[in-house]
Amino acid sequence: MSENPPLSVVMIVGVVASLIGYLYSKCMKTGFNLLWNTIPSVLFGGGNPSSRLCELLHQYPAAYIVLTMTLGGGLVATLSTLKFPNLFSAHDYVHILSRSEDDESTVDEFPQARTIFPVLLLSLLMSISGFSLGPEAPMVTAGGLVGVSIARKYIQYASKNGSVKKSSAIKEKLAFAGAAGTLTGFMNVPLAGPIFALEMVGRDAGISSLAAKSWTAALAASFTGMVFVRGGLVPNLGLGGHFTYGAKAAVGTLTGRDMVVASLGCGVGGAIVGTCFHKTVSFLKSVMWPAKSSSSNDQAKKYQVIAKKTLVALAIGLLSTLYPQTMFWGEGSLQCAVDGQCTPFSATPHGIPSIMTQQLSRVNPNQPFTSGMAALQVGMAKFMAIALASAGGFPGGVIFPLLSNGASLGNALVSALSPVMSLASSSLVAPLMVMSFMAATLTSITRTPLATVLILALSASGMTQLSVLLPGVLMASYISVWVSEMLSNESFFSYSK
């Protein structure tokens, strides 16, 4: 048997994985509407409160945010500690598939298919509860599990008809194919999905030789998934992105000098932010989870873990009442962050009733930033919300959360440099800086420069002048990876080599 899986098997992986991604997105929308639209409309829709709790929520509507996030975090903490300990994650996906080509046994560390459900369930609960962790990393995790599980079935079947050679190579290729398929089904990005799944297992800015061998399988699974979802399940759904960078009518032309200066500055700035992020996460982990003691009371330890995680959820909930625009994983409210809140948070798909956001918010989420300091506050609050959730050991990804974080910090930088930018040749410098800072912030963590730029490009609206912006964004994205490597030998993910 060849080390390359048959195209038919790859296509099966693409269909199954993309279906999981598509159904997961539907569950997320349903869960979000239930928790943040349906229930609040009943609680705050008028009439006399029916209980002491309802009366309290009527007096302090922002308490609903704290209550929901604390209960959601506590539930996830309980399930992950008591029912699903040591659950497979994107960190494991990266660690296993970043190994040396000479080590063919580590791919067998992928657990059985039955772990897919808890991975998706816990991630779903985190996302709809309002935390700044996204579903993209769980999509990679679930897709990898789907691919390896189907590979095992195929190898078992094929081995009956002859000798099996390079079975580990087949599992690896289908793991990448599965990750590409779930990202495609969830995010509707047929090219960015497979490139992200391949890039993220490399420590540097390129694709490792091991991942490069899975290029064809990842692309085939992604395109098959796109045909299945967009051509079969939702054939009438319109194509194209919807995030707009910059005004509809730009003033002036973007010069090469402006592009180079903006890209260099944002690339270095994003690398600094990313380095600070994984250093902050490491520090918080050392505080929250000190070295294990020799105590033999394992059950007591488990309840201590649940209590700590619930307190972390409470802290994030309190932070969210002050900065409600930092809630959720960021994709639904990204336009609000991109244009400096010119698009009100309440008008985005992740907008929640204003009655819950106006009472305690330090920066009104439904009005444009009044200053660079306001944008900086939101950016730092988002930074801490992501870092606390990641250090707390909650399941979820950082792709769109970090993009949203980068957008707010990019707007703060634009505001700070506005006296200098008045000398720029074009109004496109500001959106270039925002888009570049978004890409640089994410790539300094995930080491996925090409996939990140493709995600931004494919999710942008037709009004965005991509032919002008993308060269600078691409430059900033790669610069961020190179600078972050110079700033620190450590990284957010644990690589095998």
Side-chain angles (χ1 to χ4, degrees):
M1 182 175 63
S2 170
E3 66 178 42
N4 294 315
L7 180 60
S8 58
V9 176
V10 175
M11 293 174 69
I12 291 172
V13 171
V15 169
V16 174
S18 63
L19 178 61
I20 289 175
Y22 171 75
L23 294 176
Y24 185 87
S25 68
K26 294 297 183 183
C27 291
M28 289 188 71
K29 291 178 181 178
T30 302
F32 172 85
N33 287 328
L34 174 64
L35 284 181
W36 300 101
N37 289 323
T38 304
I39 295 178
S41 66
V42 174
L43 288 175
F44 306 118
N48 296 322
S50 58
S51 66
R52 186 75 176 178
L53 177 61
C54 292
E55 182 179 349
L56 179 64
L57 291 175
H58 266 259
Q59 292 179 345
Y60 305 101
Y64 182 84
I65 296 176
V66 180
L67 181 63
T68 302
M69 296 186 72
T70 304
L71 290 177
L75 177 59
V76 171
T78 302
L79 291 174
S80 61
T81 304
L82 300 181
K83 296 295 183 182
F84 310 115
N86 303 317
L87 198 61
F88 196 75
S89 69
H91 291 268
D92 299 308
Y93 170 93
V94 170
H95 185 75
I96 292 173
L97 295 178
S98 62
R99 65 170 179 77
S100 169
E101 292 187 65
D102 298 328
D103 185 3
E104 298 184 358
S105 61
T106 55
V107 72
D108 291 327
E109 294 177 18
F110 273 81
Q112 299 299 317
R114 61 176 176 269
T115 59
I116 295 174
F117 175 74
V119 165
L120 297 177
L121 173 63
L122 297 186
S123 169
L124 177 67
L125 292 173
M126 286 300 298
S127 295
I128 65 174
S129 295
F131 289 84
S132 292
L133 289 177
E136 302 87 4
M139 287 293 97
V140 170
T141 305
L145 291 170
V146 167
V148 172
S149 298
I150 293 178
R152 287 168 176 157
K153 293 292 184 182
Y154 166 69
I155 292 170
Q156 184 180 10
Y157 168 79
S159 62
K160 297 178 180 179
N161 302 322
S163 62
V164 178
K165 297 180 179 180
K166 292 286 186 180
S167 61
S168 62
I170 294 177
K171 294 175 186 175
E172 290 159 2
K173 289 178 172 61
L174 291 184
F176 284 117
T182 47
L183 286 174
T184 299
F186 180 79
M187 300 173 63
N188 294 319
V189 281
L191 186 58
I195 295 179
F196 189 92
L198 296 170
E199 275 190 319
M200 73 180 295
V201 301
R203 181 184 291 273
D204 53 26
I207 295 177
S208 67
S209 58
L210 185 67
K213 293 180 179 180
S214 303
W215 173 262
T216 301
L219 282 179
S222 179
F223 290 134
T224 301
M226 180 58 69
V227 169
F228 176 71
V229 174
R230 299 307 295 268
L233 297 180
V234 284
N236 298 320
L237 187 65
L239 296 174
H242 51 279
F243 302 124
T244 301
Y245 298 81
K248 296 181 180 179
V251 177
T253 58
L254 184 66
T255 66
R257 181 181 62 184
D258 289 340
M259 181 203 73
V260 170
V261 172
S263 299
L264 284 172
C266 291
V268 173
I272 293 173
V273 171
T275 302
C276 290
F277 175 80
H278 75 72
K279 293 285 187 183
T280 301
V281 172
S282 297
F283 171 74
L284 291 174
K285 283 183 176 179
S286 67
V287 174
M288 295 178 192
W289 317 111
K292 296 181 179 179
S293 65
S294 58
S295 172
S296 59
N297 193 344
D298 291 337
Q299 195 66 20
K301 286 183 182 179
K302 290 181 179 179
Y303 287 113
Q304 289 177 6
V305 169
I306 294 173
K308 284 185 179 181
K309 288 189 174 185
T310 304
L311 287 176
V312 172
L314 173 61
I316 299 173
L318 292 172
L319 180 63
S320 298
T321 62
L322 301 178
Y323 300 97
Q325 57 270 72
T326 65
M327 294 174 63
F328 306 106
W329 60 100
E331 182 182 7
S333 57
L334 189 61
Q335 185 62 57
C336 176
V338 165
D339 61 20
Q341 296 189 175
C342 290
T343 299
F345 179 65
S346 59
T348 67
H350 282 170
I352 60 179
S354 298
I355 190 174
M356 291 188 287
T357 63
Q358 302 287 5
Q359 192 174 35
L360 299 176
S361 61
R362 297 292 182 89
V363 178
N364 192 326
N366 299 319
Q367 293 181 2
F369 289 134
T370 56
S371 65
M373 182 56 66
L376 181 61
Q377 287 183 61
V378 173
M380 294 306 298
K382 186 72 172 179
F383 180 98
M384 285 308 303
I386 305 169
L388 282 169
S390 298
F394 289 110
V398 296
I399 297 178
F400 274 100
L402 286 175
L403 289 177
S404 180
N405 183 213
S408 296
L409 294 176
N411 274 295
L413 182 63
V414 168
S415 179
L417 298 179
S418 57
V420 179
M421 289 177 57
S422 63
L423 302 176
S425 60
S426 172
S427 62
L428 287 170
V429 174
L432 170 63
M433 291 177 63
V434 171
M435 201 177 195
S436 295
F437 211 96
M438 293 169 66
T441 301
L442 177 59
T443 56
S444 64
I445 297 296
T446 60
R447 310 295 167 89
T448 56
L450 182 56
T452 297
V453 174
L454 285 172
I455 290 173
L456 291 173
L458 293 173
S459 62
S461 70
M463 292 185 292
T464 302
Q465 298 192 36
L466 290 176
S467 63
V468 179
L469 299 178
L470 283 189
V473 177
L474 193 61
M475 182 186 299
S477 190
Y478 277 92
I479 288 173
S480 176
V481 177
W482 296 328
V483 173
S484 62
E485 290 176 344
M486 292 187 289
L487 292 175
S488 175
N489 292 325
E490 300 175 354
S491 57
F492 184 69
F493 291 111
S494 174
Y495 303 93
S496 294
K497 62 173 184 177

